[in-house]
Amino acid sequence: MTRSSVSAPRHASASLEAVLASAARELARAGVPTPEVDAELLLAHVLGLGRGELRARALSGGGLAIADEERFLALVARRATREPLQHLTGRAPFRSLELAVGPGVFVPRPETEMVAQLAIDALQAVAAGEPVAVDLGAGSGAIALALATEVPYARVVAVENSPLAFTWTRQNVREVGAPNVRAVFADLADALPDEDGRVDVVVSNPPYIPRDAVPRDPEVRLFDPEAALYGGEDGLDVVREVSRTARRLLRSGGTLVIEHGEPQGASVRDLLAADGWHALATHRDLLGRDRATTAIR
Ligand code: GLN
């Protein structure tokens, strides 16, 4: 009898090291910028482990059950199509939070953590017992929830106008369970008329990419919602709206914090100055790129 060329079903577990190495090679071929990290994070997700625990198991020669290996390989194949890692794990870290994300909502970025810090600093500098902050275009709720959890005596409103994104805003507000944050479905142009002149800090990470500057990363170009990326011809259409709405919402002396792209500092300062804002200052992110501008009403 000839031996079958098809290998017998494998019962022994594959080595974690070998599975990780081959997944990292597949991701590298697909152009994923950090293939080893992504392979480890996906396998840690499948096994319900932290990345450090996974490394420890791999180093001590641990193995992988076939069912887990199959789930892992399916996720690696999706990541190789450049589906964002955060959509595959369903989670995105932001400051001290782990937010739920997926199709229809912008994945929070590390550089936005310093934008949230500027808003937190402004909120903490307010003398009032219960300062009020508004996040215009809240998406996953990352900034609003960072403010609400890190300044627990503040009252925070998260405004979002995309029906799909708003389901994520609401889910994260529910999951984080901060009692002092409220999600409101509204266009930022006419949002929150009841709060006119009563707000201490307005913060926004609006869409700011110029229409013709299509992002290079497929994760961004193909999976982040267009409404969260593009801000018209010069990228600043929504920044202009944020400026108008923030002037209506903020009390005199209140602070505006706007995220923008590296080359946009001067144009954002110019348009804010033309709208009557004071004390304009542009701030850099951790990579030294101009990333946000603050102004006082
Ligand atoms: N920061 C975004 C990006 O990387 C651009 C749009 C935004 O954050 N509002 O791609």
Side-chain angles (χ1 to χ4, degrees):
M1 211 170 86
T2 55
R3 286 184 51 176
S4 160
S5 61
V6 177
S7 49
R10 186 158 57 74
H11 296 294
S13 60
S15 112
L16 286 171
E17 283 289 19
V19 170
L20 281 170
S22 110
R25 279 193 302 273
E26 180 177 347
L27 295 178
R29 276 194 302 273
V32 170
T34 54
E36 289 87 7
V37 175
D38 285 34
E40 286 180 13
L41 289 171
L42 285 173
L43 188 50
H45 169 69
V46 164
L47 298 177
L49 299 173
R51 193 173 152 215
E53 293 172 293
L54 173 70
R55 292 281 337 133
R57 269 200 209 183
L59 286 170
S60 58
L64 185 62
I66 285 168
D68 289 335
E69 185 180 351
E70 279 169 0
R71 283 177 58 211
F72 173 61
L73 294 179
L75 290 177
V76 170
R78 286 170 65 187
R79 186 71 189 96
T81 71
R82 307 299 295 271
E83 196 169 338
L85 176 74
Q86 297 90 338
H87 284 201
L88 299 174
T89 63
R91 293 277 145 187
F94 188 79
R95 295 181 70 95
S96 67
L97 304 168
E98 280 269 325
L99 298 158
V101 293
V105 75
F106 181 80
V107 173
R109 308 285 206 268
E111 57 268 30
T112 303
E113 294 183 345
M114 69 74 68
V115 179
Q117 185 67 56
L118 292 167
I120 288 167
D121 292 346
L123 206 49
Q124 285 175 333
V126 176
E130 190 190 50
V132 180
V134 172
D135 177 0
L136 294 175
S140 65
I143 299 176
L145 287 163
L147 264 51
T149 52
E150 296 184 52
V151 192
Y153 55 88
R155 181 165 68 80
V156 181
V157 187
V159 175
E160 177 54 55
N161 79 340
S162 149
L164 208 50
F166 190 66
T167 64
W168 296 100
T169 323
R170 265 206 317 226
Q171 177 175 341
N172 283 311
V173 165
R174 201 165 48 234
E175 281 184 11
V176 171
N180 55 334
V181 60
R182 176 165 72 95
V184 172
F185 183 77
D187 272 330
L188 58 87
D190 50 19
L192 310 177
D194 297 352
E195 304 278 6
D196 282 0
R198 301 178 49 186
V199 176
D200 298 288
V201 175
V202 169
V203 57
S204 183
N205 175 15
Y208 51 72
I209 300 176
R211 192 191 297 124
D212 296 332
V214 175
R216 229 172 271 130
D217 293 340
E219 289 84 352
V220 178
R221 193 175 64 241
L222 304 176
F223 294 94
D224 275 322
E226 289 190 1
L229 294 177
Y230 304 106
E233 191 169 350
D234 65 352
L236 299 177
D237 284 0
V238 183
V239 172
R240 289 182 193 95
E241 273 185 54
V242 166
S243 168
R244 270 195 300 276
T245 298
R247 289 194 68 75
R248 166 169 69 72
L249 292 174
L250 286 174
R251 61 168 170 81
S252 155
T255 303
L256 170 65
V257 181
I258 301 188
E259 180 172 328
H260 53 71
E262 183 172 16
Q264 292 171 325
S267 26
V268 170
R269 288 194 305 277
D270 286 350
L271 85 82
L272 294 178
D275 281 353
W277 294 91
H278 303 294
L280 299 157
T282 295
H283 309 262
R284 293 182 175 167
D285 63 21
L286 290 172
L287 295 178
R289 303 168 298 196
D290 282 355
R291 179 59 59 196
T293 292
T294 51
I296 304 295
R297 168 87 165 89

